[in-house]
């Protein structure tokens, strides 16, 4: 028993790594483990310095919401907007959704939230229901403005009332931090 304790103390990090790799090989456990790790390593996204911020030039973007209503991005001009490009199969996307849902519950009357996915609404709504999220879901009808294009998921944007991209974050982040809440409040 003493030898085991000594062995474990000396090799705990190797044992933990082997267990982690073992869990990653089990398909039914892989996604929850990846989501857990993403949540551990997620930090609050940083604002882009004002002189480096891009301004959205063209608000010509059409979306459809989960009730099948057409939405024109141009109708949101002059609003503070949060856009999140995501998918239900994406562990970093799933990891940040609880933070986005909490943020949405706090700011939904003051900020326009667009959670945009190319997946079917059936799949998105199943995910939303399973997790008791309130976030509003959208599908793109046309391509987004060039300033919002990204080939990575998740990619999220915080846009001010003038159409400036205040935050562009590729990968998961802690969107429910005091820092982000204060920034959003300052933009309102």
């Amino acid at each position: 028993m003493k030898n085991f304790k000594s062995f474990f103390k000396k090799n705990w990090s190797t044992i933990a790594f082997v267990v982690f790799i073992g869990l990653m090989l089990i398909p039914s456990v892989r996604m929850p483990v990846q989501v857990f790790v993403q949540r551990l390593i997620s930090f609050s996204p940083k604002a882009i310095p004002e002189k480096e911020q891009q301004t959205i030039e063209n608000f010509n973007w059409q979306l459809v919401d989960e009730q099948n209503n057409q939405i024109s991005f141009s109708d949101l001009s002059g609003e503070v907007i949060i856009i999140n490009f995501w998918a239900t199969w994406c562990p970093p996307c799933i990891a940040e959704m609880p933070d986005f849902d909490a943020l949405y519950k706090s700011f939904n009357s003051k900020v326009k939230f667009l959670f945009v996915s190319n997946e079917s609404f059936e799949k998105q709504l199943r995910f939303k229901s399973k997790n008791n999220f309130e976030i509003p879901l959208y599908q793109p009808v046309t391509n987004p403005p060039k300033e919002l294009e990204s080939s990575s998921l998740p990619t999220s944007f915080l846009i001010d009332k003038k159409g400036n991209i205040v935050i562009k974050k590729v990968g998961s982040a802690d969107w429910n931090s005091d820092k982000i809440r204060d920034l959003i409040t300052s933009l309102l």
Side-chain angles (χ1 to χ4, degrees), residues 114-152:
L114 302 173
F115 293 90
V116 182
S117 176
N118 287 320
E119 292 180 293
S120 71
F121 278 125
E122 180 183 343
K123 189 176 277 192
Q124 291 183 63
L125 289 168
R126 210 170 29 246
F127 172 84
K128 181 178 171 177
S129 175
K130 175 183 170 192
N131 293 286
N132 295 314
F133 291 149
E134 294 180 18
I135 57 172
L137 305 173
Y138 295 87
Q139 287 180 327
V141 175
T142 60
N143 290 331
K146 66 179 177 10
E147 297 87 2
L148 301 178
E149 290 178 350
S150 177
S151 59
S152 298

Side-chain angles (χ1 to χ4, degrees), residues 35-144:
V35 169
F36 174 76
V37 170
Q38 286 293 323
R39 287 197 57 82
L40 281 178
I41 63 173
S42 292
F43 297 98
S44 185
K46 293 184 183 348
I48 300 168
E50 197 169 328
K51 52 189 153 176
E52 295 175 28
Q53 293 175 4
Q54 282 187 293
T55 301
I56 298 173
E57 300 293 329
N58 180 356
F59 276 74
N60 188 20
W61 183 29
Q62 300 299 312
L63 302 132
V64 63
D65 70 13
E66 58 197 274
Q67 287 85 35
N68 209 27
N69 298 311
Q70 288 277 98
I71 306 295
S72 178
F73 190 56
S74 62
D75 292 342
L76 306 180
S77 181
E79 305 252 3
V80 174
I81 307 166
I82 292 179
I83 302 170
N84 175 256
F85 293 97
W86 73 289
T88 61
W89 51 261
C90 165
C93 301
I94 296 168
E96 67 183 4
M97 277 300 165
D99 292 335
F100 271 129
D101 192 61
L103 200 63
Y104 173 75
K105 288 173 182 171
S106 296
F107 287 98
N108 72 12
S109 64
K110 300 174 185 167
V111 174
K112 186 63 178 177
F113 288 82
L114 302 173
F115 293 90
V116 182
S117 176
N118 287 320
E119 292 180 293
S120 71
F121 278 125
E122 180 183 343
K123 189 176 277 192
Q124 291 183 63
L125 289 168
R126 210 170 29 246
F127 172 84
K128 181 178 171 177
S129 175
K130 175 183 170 192
N131 293 286
N132 295 314
F133 291 149
E134 294 180 18
I135 57 172
L137 305 173
Y138 295 87
Q139 287 180 327
V141 175
T142 60
N143 290 331

Side-chain angles (χ1 to χ4, degrees), residues 39 42-45 96 99 169 172-178 180:
R39 287 197 57 82
S42 292
F43 297 98
S44 185
E96 67 183 4
D99 292 335
K169 174 65 174 132
S172 73
D174 176 5
W175 284 92
N176 195 30
S177 67
D178 290 340
I180 293 299

